[in-house]
Amino acid sequence: MPSGENGALPEGILSLLDTDLYKLTMQSAVLKYFPDAEVTYAFTNRTPNMRLTRAAFHWMEQQIHKLGDIVVTSEELEYLKHTCTYLSQPYLRFLSSFRLRPAEQVNISFNVLDDSGSDEDIGDIRLDIQGRWVDTILYEIPLLALTSEAYFRFVNKDWNYDTQEEKAFNKGTTLLEHGCLFSEFGSRRRRDYHTQELVLQGLCRAASEGKKRGWRGKLTGTSNVHFAMKFGVPPVGTVAHEWLMGIAAITNNYENANEVGLRYWVGTFGEGVLGIALTDTFGTPTFLEAFKQPVPSYTTPKSGAAATLASTATASTLSSIDTLSETKSPLHAPIHDGQHEKSPTYAQVFAGVRQDSGDPAGFVKMMRDFYESIGIRDKKTIVFSDSLNIELCLEYMQEAEKAGFQPTFGVGTFLTNDFIHVSNGKKSVPLNIVIKLSSANGRPAVKISDNIGKNTGDKATVEEVKQRLGYKEKKWEGGNEESRWGAEQNGTGPSSMRN
């Protein structure tokens, strides 16, 4: 569908599946364990010099309102049922009647810098989301995509779609020729829907060419469920920082939050399913202490109606599905209860890990040392997903393979927001924007990461958690978030940063 009605290109968000897979998998786990948790989310523009106009703000207001009209179609539900078989029937029933309620859950405001009353006045937008976790978890990707689209629709308009498909094809063929396994991860910061569509067309064409030529690389899929369905490629992804951030805030147990998050994840989907662990929410060293723990024997997913109930402990009393909201998570269950001496560890059960902040080479070494220290000799996977381009993929692939890992890559902004200004040929720099969980059940939610530039949340809580966990501060020379993708020079061009 390269165009909308009457030949016009589609704008905004048209499907609830136009999101990353991990939002659905996390929503399924939240429904099971935290159906009544109340949360808030906060928006951050890490490129604060790149602001919206009043016209862009009003367009965003309209598009956010339209989100309330979207439902998951019967065709989409059938797709999820047959493709994402790890999503339980009770969750799919929940999703079949799910609706976003932006009038109640989203507040957007515009802080103009110099108010002349013109639609061209520039200012900062503020986005606040609040409600039950299970009801608001799907806002993040659409709101980020809308913000990026608004900026490049109303503010920076000096660009066009020329060569986008060919550019994606060339990037794809280079990665495939060099043996890279990679997925498209670009939904949140895409220039717009049509750009991502062109990118997938180019990548699928490259994958077809690679298959004919016998290249050892592979396009493993896209994180965007809608485009996976549209192009017939696998939807890929597992979990985001949000999952552990929410659990830690709800329990106020940062010391054991990683293990609880792993336990509940396996309890939702089973051992060996969606088995790529994200390590850096509170620093990778802290995560690895949990990762080497045995999986409790009661941590198994239930089938049928009970799968949406908020407990999997064998001692729990499971009532009817109508009392879902009254069933409490086993938050106080002892961490090591219910396990056998020969139970596998999480590190054994999970296929690998995802690297999303800090020094990738240092991460590879840390993971190699970790697996060897606990006697794991299986070939594990490392998924790299932090601001990648072709050169970095090839560099990290060499590092990971040398250490005995299977590297894969989630390539995002480099694919879906790589443009030049038509007027001068200089790079048209993407926005670097995020929406993160900011509180859960009244407590601040924070992320520490492996790079100080990605610390997120209430500063006092960040410092408290660092002290509680004995976190050692890390800085990485590639971790400047304000200029991660370049910096506009007088609104027309970039500094010499990454592609």
Side-chain angles (χ1 to χ4, degrees):
M1 184 181 70
S3 61
E5 295 180 6
N6 303 318
L9 293 175
E11 66 176 38
I13 304 296
L14 305 176
S15 167
L16 284 178
L17 298 195
D18 187 4
T19 193
D20 287 339
L21 176 64
Y22 66 28
K23 300 303 291 191
L24 301 184
T25 56
M26 288 191 299
Q27 187 182 41
S28 178
V30 169
L31 177 66
K32 180 170 185 174
Y33 288 106
F34 304 101
D36 283 338
E38 294 282 334
V39 301
T40 61
Y41 295 82
F43 167 84
T44 300
N45 182 358
R46 291 172 173 167
T47 43
N49 61 311
M50 299 170 70
R51 297 181 170 93
L52 270 60
T53 61
R54 181 178 277 112
F57 164 71
H58 287 316
W59 180 86
M60 276 193 68
E61 282 187 309
Q62 295 169 3
Q63 296 300 322
I64 290 170
H65 175 75
K66 291 179 181 179
L67 294 177
D69 299 327
I70 305 174
V71 297
V72 179
T73 67
S74 57
E75 182 183 9
E76 289 172 330
L77 284 168
E78 280 299 305
Y79 170 79
L80 292 175
K81 178 180 178 181
H82 291 101
T83 304
C84 306
T85 54
Y86 40 80
L87 297 176
S88 69
Q89 284 302 311
Y91 171 67
L92 293 178
R93 286 199 298 272
F94 168 84
L95 199 60
S96 69
S97 59
F98 179 80
R99 296 284 277 267
L100 294 170
R101 302 189 304 278
E104 304 170 24
Q105 298 162 335
V106 181
N107 181 55
I108 180 171
S109 58
F110 183 67
N111 181 25
V112 66
L113 296 187
D114 186 9
D115 194 351
S116 71
S118 167
D119 276 351
E120 298 306 308
D121 288 345
I122 63 169
D124 298 308
I125 65 162
R126 175 167 177 163
L127 278 167
D128 295 292
I129 303 103
Q130 62 180 8
R132 291 197 312 170
W133 196 3
V134 74
D135 295 329
T136 56
I137 194 169
L138 297 189
Y139 276 115
E140 177 191 358
I141 307 304
L143 292 182
L144 289 173
L146 287 173
T147 304
S148 181
E149 182 173 352
Y151 181 82
F152 291 104
R153 180 179 286 267
F154 292 94
V155 183
N156 182 343
K157 297 179 282 187
D158 185 18
W159 59 275
N160 59 39
Y161 297 108
D162 292 354
T163 74
Q164 278 298 301
E165 181 180 344
E166 196 64 25
K167 188 181 289 187
F169 172 79
N170 290 334
K171 291 173 181 177
T173 54
T174 301
L175 291 170
L176 293 169
E177 279 186 282
H178 284 84
C180 284
L181 307 181
F182 73 98
S183 299
E184 184 275 314
F185 268 28
S187 299
R188 67 186 57 223
R189 299 187 189 109
R190 69 191 186 193
R191 190 141 298 201
D192 60 9
Y193 177 98
H194 186 52
T195 299
Q196 193 168 12
E197 183 177 43
L198 291 172
V199 166
L200 263 300
Q201 287 174 0
L203 293 179
C204 287
R205 189 156 57 89
S208 178
E209 182 72 13
K211 190 173 182 180
K212 285 189 291 187
R213 292 176 176 266
W215 295 336
R216 67 186 183 97
K218 184 178 180 181
L219 172 64
T220 55
T222 171
S223 62
N224 186 294
V225 184
H226 166 76
F227 282 115
M229 179 178 173
K230 182 178 179 64
F231 285 94
V233 298
V236 296
T238 52
V239 69
H241 301 102
E242 175 181 354
W243 175 240
L244 295 176
M245 291 170 68
I247 289 173
I250 290 167
T251 62
N252 195 27
N253 184 357
Y254 284 87
E255 292 77 5
N256 290 310
N258 284 306
E259 198 282 333
V260 174
L262 289 166
R263 181 175 8 143
Y264 284 12
W265 196 255
V266 175
T268 303
F269 301 108
E271 295 182 8
V273 182
L274 298 173
I276 297 295
L278 183 58
T279 68
D280 67 333
T281 307
F282 306 116
T284 294
T286 297
F287 177 86
L288 295 181
E289 289 301 310
F291 207 38
K292 66 185 180 183
Q293 299 300 320
V295 181
S297 61
Y298 59 69
T299 302
T300 54
K302 291 180 176 293
S303 59
T308 53
L309 290 169
S311 175
T312 56
T314 53
S316 297
T317 301
L318 299 181
S319 50
S320 73
I321 59 173
D322 296 328
T323 62
L324 173 64
S325 64
E326 299 174 4
T327 310
K328 304 303 179 185
S329 307
L331 294 176
H332 304 294
I335 298 299
H336 302 295
D337 275 9
Q339 62 195 29
H340 299 297
E341 290 182 4
K342 295 184 179 180
S343 293
T345 64
Y346 294 107
Q348 291 173 301
V349 166
F350 278 71
V353 294
R354 177 156 72 96
Q355 191 274 337
D356 195 56
S357 66
D359 176 21
F363 181 86
V364 169
K365 183 180 185 307
M366 186 189 305
M367 292 310 306
R368 180 74 278 147
D369 292 345
F370 168 77
Y371 282 122
E372 288 184 358
S373 72
I374 58 175
I376 292 180
R377 296 175 177 81
D378 300 343
K379 189 170 189 176
K380 294 292 187 176
T381 295
I382 295 181
V383 180
F384 296 92
S385 61
D386 188 17
S387 305
L388 299 175
N389 58 26
I390 289 174
E391 292 77 14
L392 293 176
C393 287
L394 299 183
E395 176 187 336
Y396 301 164
M397 181 174 72
Q398 185 176 14
E399 290 278 355
E401 288 182 342
K402 185 169 61 175
F405 290 105
Q406 173 61 66
T408 70
F409 303 90
V411 187
T413 309
F414 175 66
L415 291 172
T416 60
N417 209 328
D418 185 14
F419 287 78
I420 59 171
H421 289 122
V422 175
S423 63
N424 59 21
K426 294 182 178 179
K427 185 173 177 63
S428 176
V429 177
L431 290 171
N432 189 350
I433 49 178
V434 295
I435 290 176
K436 293 294 184 183
L437 195 72
S438 54
S439 73
N441 280 357
R443 290 194 187 96
V446 301
K447 177 168 76 78
I448 307 299
S449 86
D450 289 334
N451 169 27
I452 191 171
K454 285 193 168 185
N455 286 185
T456 300
D458 177 70
K459 291 183 179 180
T461 305
V462 167
E463 292 307 313
E464 177 193 342
V465 172
K466 287 179 179 179
Q467 291 181 9
R468 286 169 61 175
L469 298 180
Y471 177 85
K472 294 181 180 179
E473 200 65 76
K474 295 181 180 179
K475 292 184 179 180
W476 174 50
E477 62 180 12
N480 186 339
E481 294 302 320
E482 289 191 17
S483 55
R484 179 58 66 93
W485 296 104
E488 293 284 355
Q489 296 176 342
N490 300 320
T492 57
S495 62
S496 56
M497 293 294 290
R498 292 183 181 180
N499 292 334

